[in-house]
Amino acid sequence: MESGIRLSTLCLLLCLGPVSGFGVDPSLQIDVLSELQLGGSTEGVRQVPGLHNGSKAFLFTDNSRNVKASPETAEIFFQKLRNKCEFTILVTLKQAHLNSGVILSIHHLDHRYLELESSGHRNEIRLHYRSGSHRSHTEVFPYILADDKWHRLSLAISASHLILHVDCNKIYERVVEKPFMDLPLGTTFWLGQRNTAHGYFKLSQAEQRMNKLDQCYCERTCTMKGTTYREFESWTDGCKNCTCMNGTVQCEALVCPLADCPLNSALAYVDGKCCKECQSVCVFEGRTYFEGQRETVYSGSGDCVLFECKDHKMQRIPKGICPALSCPESQQIPLSHSCCKVCKGHDFCTEGHNCMEHSVCRNLEDRAVCSCRDGFRALREDNAYCEDIDECAEGRHYCRENTMCVNTPGSFMCVCKTGYIRIDDYSCTEHDECVTNQHNCDENALCFNTVGGHNCVCKPGYTGNGTICKAFCKDGCRNGGACIASNVCACPQGFTGPSCETDIDECSDGFVQCDSRANCINLPGWYHCECRDGYHDNGMFSPSGESCEDIDECGTGRHSCANDTVCFNLDGGYDCRCPHGKNCTGDCIHEGKIKHNGQIWVLENDRCSVCSCQNGYVMCRRMVCDCQNPTVDLFCCPECDPRLSSQCLHQSGEFSYNSGDSWVQNCQQCRCLQGEVDCWPLPCPEVDCEFSVLPENECCPRCVSDPCQADTIRNDITKTCLDETNVVRFTGSSWIKHGTECTLCQCKNGHVCCSVDPQCLQEL
């Protein structure tokens, strides 16, 4: 098969003329191939059949050729083109796959004043030209011309306005530099090549000239089911009569003629035809059957007899051998036209049907029927032929503001009017407030443009009305944590974990080193160094426990030595010593009562603590909780309580706690005890500094060096401030700054701190 490009109907009619009003002045029209007088004697060019039957075209082959206008003919062309900035190039072509080359070229030396080429390698059309600034320009239009199919191309240029049509469809519209067509003498006009050394481009051209240039610059043909029809050509398609009108297929339902059938015949559908035709009939047991129809009759013994309508009589025919069925008898279905049963769910459609285009075969229990596809309606009662429903013409569409409804096979589409942008499948708007940032959506929201406005929807992981979106954490943020992003909690100091559920044990994790006279005590969110037994703080409350000093239990009477022993004070404790030569009992005195050596008892005011006397010393400890022991005291060991009634609901209502669990909420330490929640202020470490601040989302104050950031001050009345008018202000005093109405100043231990009151500004 020969490869190349062919032009037909417009086929090698490259016409150049003014585009105004889509009309072509014959005096300005150039029929290039006619003027070049191509024929059988032109080397590398031969005549071949064109696009339509009876038309002819020229094929430009691979052979060496030299197709250009003579100087005289070229000058005639250029007189019509020279200094013109409005012209149209019309061409109908058929280009082979991967073929590339120049369609026409008007150039002088290396300057291309007007050149049109098509690249099958890059699938693009290129226009080369020169502008008034004597600069070369190239416009590239991505499009597949090299597909071995006929195409009609129209390239219209009016000053700086360019429009490219392919097959009567507008493909591109651009603003370009104004072409410069001041063609000098010696300019050449080439067809199918740029010069003798240029790669050859294969073209073909139909003999007939294009007519009706005011209708998209070409004769509009119609293509239906792979067949091309010419303007005003009519044909029958199933149950429709169709005509090609102005490039559009217009069809109407076929009107079937009224037929008067002879005796023993009636109207019936025939395969492959739309209208009913007279068919011979049989009458059997009061029913009418058409030629070839079958019917089963069962005898009293249950035997099946098969009849078929032949020559106006129902004749008995052999029923044949039925295939074995793979289903139980309860799943077998009898048929009215066959003595052989089928299994339930049998596919009758695979045995053949008469459903035509836009109609599909559907299986019933004992037969197959035709059904129109969605968006189509039946043209006859058996649904074998269906036609498209024009939702646009019938008002059965959903196109909204600023759109045009365009009917499509089985559906419709809403096309935005010129100058409008799409919102969704059914509506368009003039402005996109989302793109132009003219919206009030939260930074964590999605903006959806609507007609005359917009909608805001919070992004996944955020909740709110769209204008305000707050991060959403699925499991919540505990112990005072804040949800700052989707399932991301910012934990307050001293807590960690995805939901801030874990208290950081600063003592066991090695964050803290307390003095040897103190023990590190972990607390929810923080810790402190507590003096060990036998020591007490001297009042300085050193954070690390250096202020802990020994307690003289002997001198203060805080020992448990019995009367027969002598108390000796030790660093951090005491010793009960038995005098020399005496036999001491080792008993203890506890709360004014004698406890014998080795005695164990439960405290009267705390049933959860157990004490023992060991050689004069009283040692007490909390009861050890063994949740496996069925007799465990649930009052002392609430964590061993398995009852659902003993669980507690968190203040937010989002999760529950077991009895014995503790947590932090709103700077309070809470604990669940047998179904009841008890909360008390969260203890905070002592802050020994002049200025402190309570950060947001934290419970305990911190020291700061900037007094203006502090919200708590250890006031020193000896420190004063000078205001802007040199008036002495005492610590803690405040005043309105001179010359302003809303600037409030304070004296903080000799430092002046001023700030603007926003509420005051609103009231001005």
Side-chain angles (χ1 to χ4, degrees), residues 8 16 43 50 62 76 94 120 139 174 187 215 327 336 384 398 410 452 522 596 635 650 684 690 701 762:
S8 180
L16 295 94
E43 184 178 1
D62 287 336
I76 296 174
K94 181 178 181 182
E139 291 291 326
R174 296 180 182 175
T187 301
Q215 298 183 13
C327 57
S336 62
Y398 310 109
N522 186 60
H596 297 295
F635 177 82
H650 186 268
C684 290
E690 185 178 8
Q762 293 179 355

Side-chain angles (χ1 to χ4, degrees), residues 135 160 321 436 445 716:
R135 293 178 55 193
S160 58
I321 300 176
T436 58
D716 185 350

Side-chain angles (χ1 to χ4, degrees), residues 43-45 60-66 193 200 202:
E43 184 178 1
V45 179
F60 285 55
T61 65
D62 287 336
N63 300 333
S64 175
R65 63 176 187 266
N66 188 10
Q193 60 197 97
Y200 297 126
K202 303 175 187 176

Side-chain angles (χ1 to χ4, degrees), residues 601-753:
W601 67 96
V602 176
L603 293 179
E604 293 181 0
N605 59 352
D606 183 5
R607 77 184 201 190
C608 300
S609 294
V610 179
C611 298
S612 65
C613 175
Q614 300 290 336
N615 297 321
Y617 292 103
V618 175
M619 294 182 291
C620 297
R621 60 177 175 81
R622 294 286 297 176
M623 181 186 297
V624 177
C625 293
D626 181 9
C627 294
Q628 301 299 321
N629 186 355
T631 63
V632 66
D633 189 341
L634 297 181
F635 177 82
C636 298
C637 302
E639 64 271 20
C640 296
D641 192 345
R643 297 172 299 177
L644 291 176
S645 60
S646 296
Q647 292 183 342
C648 302
L649 193 65
H650 186 268
Q651 289 90 333
S652 65
E654 296 178 354
F655 30 80
S656 60
Y657 292 97
N658 293 323
S659 181
D661 289 346
S662 60
W663 66 95
V664 173
Q665 177 70 17
N666 295 332
C667 295
Q668 289 185 315
Q669 185 173 350
C670 301
R671 192 181 188 196
C672 175
L673 291 173
Q674 296 181 341
E676 295 185 357
V677 177
D678 186 19
C679 296
W680 57 93
L682 186 70
C684 290
E686 292 289 336
V687 178
D688 186 16
C689 54
E690 185 178 8
F691 305 110
S692 63
V693 63
L694 181 62
E696 187 178 2
N697 297 325
E698 293 191 20
C699 297
C700 296
R702 296 184 183 182
C703 294
V704 292
S705 58
D706 185 356
C708 294
Q709 292 182 355
D711 48 31
T712 302
I713 303 170
R714 185 183 296 167
N715 287 327
D716 185 350
I717 61 175
T718 64
K719 296 179 180 180
T720 60
C721 303
L722 283 178
D723 67 10
E724 63 279 359
T725 60
N726 291 324
V727 174
V728 176
R729 303 282 183 173
F730 293 101
T731 289
S733 64
S734 60
W735 66 94
I736 301 297
K737 187 175 182 180
H738 181 72
T740 69
E741 296 184 31
C742 297
T743 301
L744 179 66
C745 297
Q746 287 181 295
C747 179
K748 296 183 177 182
N749 284 1
H751 302 274
V752 177
C753 298

Side-chain angles (χ1 to χ4, degrees), residues 182-250:
D182 188 10
L183 305 175
L185 293 176
T187 301
T188 56
F189 188 108
W190 292 79
L191 191 64
Q193 60 197 97
R194 184 178 303 134
N195 49 51
T196 55
H198 184 263
Y200 297 126
F201 189 59
K202 303 175 187 176
L203 301 172
S204 61
Q205 184 240 356
E207 175 184 65
Q208 297 181 338
R209 295 171 58 93
M210 178 182 63
N211 55 14
K212 299 197 174 181
L213 294 176
D214 59 337
Q215 298 183 13
C216 208
Y217 306 104
C218 58
E219 177 189 358
R220 295 189 174 188
T221 59
C222 304
T223 300
M224 187 175 185
K225 298 179 181 179
T227 303
T228 301
Y229 299 94
R230 302 196 66 172
E231 185 84 354
F232 306 121
E233 188 174 353
S234 298
W235 66 97
T236 299
D237 178 50
C239 286
K240 297 179 291 184
N241 283 328
C242 301
T243 303
C244 179
M245 297 293 293
N246 197 27
T248 303
V249 176
Q250 299 181 4

Side-chain angles (χ1 to χ4, degrees), residues 337-407:
H337 61 277
S338 173
C339 288
C340 296
K341 296 181 179 181
V342 296
C343 290
K344 191 173 183 179
H346 180 73
D347 190 353
F348 296 97
C349 292
T350 59
E351 299 174 354
H353 58 82
N354 64 339
C355 304
M356 306 303 289
E357 188 179 20
H358 309 312
S359 176
V360 294
C361 180
R362 302 189 188 279
N363 287 297
L364 299 183
E365 187 177 63
D366 60 348
R367 67 188 185 279
V369 296
C370 296
S371 176
C372 291
R373 297 181 186 273
D374 292 340
F376 295 86
R377 67 163 63 93
L379 287 170
R380 64 186 206 186
E381 59 268 24
D382 63 353
N383 291 335
Y385 289 86
C386 304
E387 68 173 350
D388 175 51
I389 299 173
D390 190 341
E391 293 86 355
C392 300
E394 299 180 13
R396 300 171 63 176
H397 61 84
Y398 310 109
C399 296
R400 300 179 60 193
E401 295 89 342
N402 309 317
T403 66
M404 296 179 294
C405 180
V406 177
N407 189 57

